[in-house]
Amino acid sequence: MVPRGVWCVLLTCLFYTSSADKDFFTSIGQMTDLLYTEKDLVTSLKDYIRAEESKLEQVKTWAQKLDVLSATATQDPEGFLGHPVNAFKLMKRLNTEWGELESLVLKDMSDGFISNLTIQRQHFPNDDDQTGAAKALMRLQDTYRLDTQTISTGELPGEGPMTVEDCFELGKIAYSDADYYHTELWMEQALKQLDGGEESTVDMVTILDYLSYSIYQQGELERALDYTKRLLKLDSAHQRANGNLKYFEYQLAKQKKVEAEEGLKEKEEREREKREVSEKKGRPADYLPERRKYEQLCRGEGIKMTPRRQSRMFCRYSDNNRHPLYMLGPVKQEDEWDRPRIIRYHDILSNSEIEKVKELAKPRLRRATVHDPQTGKLTTAHYRVSKSAWLTAYEDPVVDKINQRIEDITGLNVKTAEELQVANYGVGGQYEPHFDFGRKDEPDAFKELGTGNRIATWLIYGSAVFWYNLFASGEGDYSTRHAACPVLVGNKWVSNKWIHERGQEFRRRCTLDESD
């Protein structure tokens, strides 16, 4: 499924919205293999259960037979053993058959299952994958303003309900990051489900312990005290809770004493401070200054074009300046945005071409990287959650055709462009606000390529969009800042071509006028 996209401009920033190695959580495409791994293990587990049931059935039949025999024999032991056949069979049973039964009971029927599990385990996700998937859920929760109840009860399309254990695990992962905001949300959801009668291996005392502390860390003493008292009703000997109870009560008493002694002006100041604490309560401090606006755009709350600007946007059939290939079959071209100018091209790839590109890319998907401005080298980053692969023109005719199509439509030389990149986004996959071109503080961003800066970007996700990253003067266009919003539901594949300056000297001539 290729989620549809929405393009918006934020101040001078553009954002795009759409639905082998480890890091499974960074690629839905590769995670599908895990489903088949699990299906194979379930089949193996069923085989093991059947083998155990067959073994138990044999033991049960043996026990029933001997139960009847021994009941008859013990009524008249001497008379029973007076028959030579009965005496022989007793010797045989005790000497041979009970030994065979012992071997049957001791036979380990799990060998096949354990062997299969051991082989498959090397392909299992690790702790980082579980943590990454948990943080992705929290990212979706924040970005799209989903409450824990909506997520936990399975109200999202195609989603199953979450157990108390699931909610508790999310809360624990948040707690390990000192993210007390999300700890509180998910521990409260776990508690709510326990209060609702759901059975769980997680006890209420443990949940209340996490919950009271996370609330205290956010400055709400009275609520933290209430949950601590509730915990102690269940476990009066809980050492940490008893210590917290005394501390919380002392702090509250101290606070109330100060409030009682202060004058009207001080009370107003304290009330103001309380309001500020309440307003600041929430998600941890963020490194991304645009977070709020970025998430607004992801929710479809971005800046809209005025009717006047919209009236200058058109759809057209384009032959690309009478290009021979497009004279009889022009491309469908749509003005997507005006500043910066973004053009959308419809029906660029056929379904068979899309499937071929995915087929070529999937075995090679590796965690997507970004340029580190400090080192100039490629590195993974938590703000880019996807896996990508690079396809060269010579490895398949479809890739060569796509590259040529991009050159024919844009009029730019793609021989100096980077290879066709294919990306598959993972759980809550995103790429936070970024530029495609190298800025002045990154002079060595593409030095190893020797082809200059990224002059333009071609992005395919069903249809395709195209924009220039650089002005004709060669200066970077900072209004091309863009992002991929977290994928809420679905499997998002995109492909892009980064076109470089080298080779465009006579195709897009330089000018000092940045408005050109």
Side-chain angles (χ1 to χ4, degrees):
M1 183 180 84
V2 182
R4 297 191 55 161
V6 178
W7 285 87
C8 303
V9 169
L10 156 65
L11 300 178
T12 60
C13 302
L14 166 78
F15 295 95
Y16 165 52
T17 306
S18 69
S19 74
D21 57 342
K22 291 285 186 178
D23 291 336
F24 285 106
F25 75 96
T26 64
S27 169
I28 294 294
Q30 286 194 330
M31 282 180 66
T32 56
D33 295 338
L34 296 179
L35 289 176
Y36 293 105
T37 296
E38 189 170 52
K39 183 180 179 181
D40 178 64
L41 286 173
V42 170
T43 301
S44 182
L45 180 60
K46 286 181 177 179
D47 290 340
Y48 161 66
I49 292 170
R50 280 192 291 268
E52 287 284 10
E53 288 174 340
S54 175
K55 183 174 94 171
L56 288 173
E57 191 60 37
Q58 292 178 64
V59 174
K60 182 179 177 183
T61 301
W62 173 266
Q64 288 171 342
K65 182 180 73 173
L66 286 186
D67 186 39
V68 173
L69 181 62
S70 61
T72 302
T74 54
Q75 288 178 2
D76 180 12
E78 290 185 0
F80 181 81
L81 292 174
H83 197 296
V85 172
N86 288 342
F88 165 73
K89 292 181 73 171
L90 175 62
M91 296 302 106
K92 176 176 174 287
R93 282 199 303 276
L94 292 174
N95 183 53
T96 304
E97 295 180 11
W98 275 100
E100 292 172 351
L101 179 64
E102 180 184 21
S103 298
L104 176 61
V105 171
L106 292 175
K107 185 177 181 182
D108 190 351
M109 312 303 292
S110 67
D111 286 351
F113 170 68
I114 295 300
S115 176
N116 190 21
L117 181 61
T118 302
I119 292 170
Q120 299 287 12
R121 193 185 298 278
Q122 62 185 315
H123 305 300
F124 278 16
N126 56 26
D127 289 344
D128 289 340
D129 289 302
Q130 183 172 333
T131 299
K135 290 182 177 180
L137 265 179
M138 294 180 227
R139 181 164 59 247
L140 292 172
Q141 179 182 8
D142 296 336
T143 302
Y144 300 107
R145 292 183 176 172
L146 304 171
D147 58 64
T148 52
Q149 180 74 7
T150 298
I151 298 173
S152 181
T153 55
E155 293 179 27
L156 295 177
E159 178 198 8
M162 296 175 68
T163 63
V164 170
E165 288 85 351
D166 295 332
C167 298
F168 176 72
E169 186 62 32
L170 280 171
K172 270 201 343 181
I173 288 172
Y175 182 86
S176 66
D177 269 1
D179 177 1
Y180 301 112
Y181 168 70
H182 287 107
T183 304
E184 176 190 348
L185 291 179
W186 285 103
M187 290 299 175
E188 277 193 331
Q189 182 62 33
L191 183 63
K192 181 178 180 180
Q193 291 178 210
L194 270 185
D195 288 339
E198 183 180 324
E199 294 185 1
S200 172
T201 56
V202 182
D203 64 277
M204 191 174 289
V205 168
T206 305
I207 292 174
L208 287 168
D209 193 17
Y210 276 101
L211 189 52
S212 62
Y213 185 75
S214 63
I215 289 172
Y216 158 70
Q217 284 289 343
Q218 295 177 86
E220 296 189 70
L221 270 175
E222 290 187 20
R223 284 186 64 218
L225 180 61
D226 289 341
Y227 279 118
T228 302
K229 289 178 177 178
R230 183 175 173 184
L231 186 161
L232 288 169
K233 285 181 181 178
L234 299 172
D235 182 2
S236 59
H238 197 286
Q239 187 175 355
R240 183 167 49 252
N242 276 300
N244 288 344
L245 178 69
K246 293 176 183 177
Y247 178 74
F248 294 160
E249 287 179 335
Y250 168 75
Q251 289 293 335
L252 275 172
K254 184 179 176 182
Q255 183 177 305
K256 288 178 180 178
K257 183 180 178 182
V258 171
E259 289 175 359
E261 294 174 352
E262 63 191 12
L264 179 62
K265 185 175 180 181
E266 288 83 0
K267 285 183 179 179
E268 289 177 350
E269 180 66 20
R270 182 168 291 278
E271 287 300 317
R272 185 184 65 78
E273 289 176 357
K274 283 184 177 180
R275 285 195 301 272
E276 286 181 355
V277 169
S278 177
E279 289 169 1
K280 288 179 181 178
K281 181 188 172 184
R283 294 156 60 183
D286 203 330
Y287 58 88
L288 184 66
E290 306 152 298
R291 173 75 59 194
R292 185 162 91 41
K293 292 185 174 68
Y294 163 47
E295 292 181 352
Q296 283 179 332
L297 284 167
C298 292
R299 293 191 296 270
E301 301 168 5
I303 298 172
K304 309 296 181 185
M305 275 193 183
T306 62
R308 181 181 178 85
R309 285 174 66 188
Q310 188 67 48
S311 68
R312 293 195 287 266
M313 311 296 285
F314 297 97
C315 294
R316 66 188 69 81
Y317 284 101
S318 172
D319 61 14
N320 195 26
N321 294 322
R322 301 183 66 79
H323 190 287
L325 283 175
Y326 301 112
M327 289 288 288
L328 295 178
V331 292
K332 299 173 184 175
Q333 191 183 81
E334 178 184 356
D335 295 328
E336 190 69 35
W337 204 256
D338 55 354
R339 297 190 298 272
R341 188 170 186 232
I342 303 169
I343 303 295
R344 182 187 298 277
Y345 294 93
H346 294 273
D347 303 326
I348 289 299
L349 297 186
S350 66
N351 288 336
S352 62
E353 288 174 323
I354 291 172
E355 291 306 314
K356 172 54 74 171
V357 167
K358 289 165 62 177
E359 176 191 322
L360 293 169
K362 189 173 178 181
R364 298 190 231 165
L365 288 173
R366 296 293 180 269
R367 181 72 186 268
T369 56
V370 297
H371 275 279
D372 186 331
Q374 303 298 322
T375 65
K377 296 180 179 179
L378 292 174
T379 182
T380 59
H382 62 276
Y383 56 82
R384 188 179 189 187
V385 183
S386 65
K387 285 190 176 180
S388 61
W390 300 86
L391 305 182
T392 56
Y394 59 79
E395 62 188 291
D396 193 278
V398 167
V399 179
D400 190 38
K401 285 179 183 177
I402 291 172
N403 286 340
Q404 188 60 53
R405 200 171 300 158
I406 294 171
E407 177 165 321
D408 293 339
I409 292 174
T410 64
L412 297 175
N413 186 346
V414 299
K415 290 182 177 59
T416 58
E418 294 172 51
E419 305 296 354
L420 189 70
Q421 182 181 219
V422 182
N424 179 226
Y425 285 75
V427 183
Q430 64 166 359
Y431 191 177
E432 289 179 357
H434 62 282
F435 299 102
D436 283 352
F437 63 90
R439 272 80 66 213
K440 289 182 178 179
D441 59 347
E442 304 173 296
D444 298 331
F446 308 109
K447 185 177 180 180
E448 71 278 7
L449 298 179
T451 53
N453 212 338
R454 289 173 175 167
I455 192 173
T457 295
W458 176 276
L459 179 66
I460 308 171
Y461 53 102
S463 58
V465 287
F466 171 78
W467 70 87
Y468 280 103
N469 296 303
L470 307 179
F471 291 111
S473 64
E475 293 293 316
D477 184 350
Y478 283 82
S479 69
T480 61
R481 189 163 170 82
H482 58 288
C485 294
V487 179
L488 181 58
V489 176
N491 186 5
K492 174 182 172 184
W493 288 84
V494 298
S495 179
N496 65 278
K497 192 79 172 174
W498 282 311
I499 304 171
H500 283 246
E501 292 177 293
R502 184 71 54 82
Q504 319 307 335
E505 293 83 354
F506 298 103
R507 301 196 181 205
R508 192 198 191 210
R509 294 181 181 277
C510 296
T511 173
L512 296 179
D513 184 4
E514 292 190 357
S515 64
D516 187 0

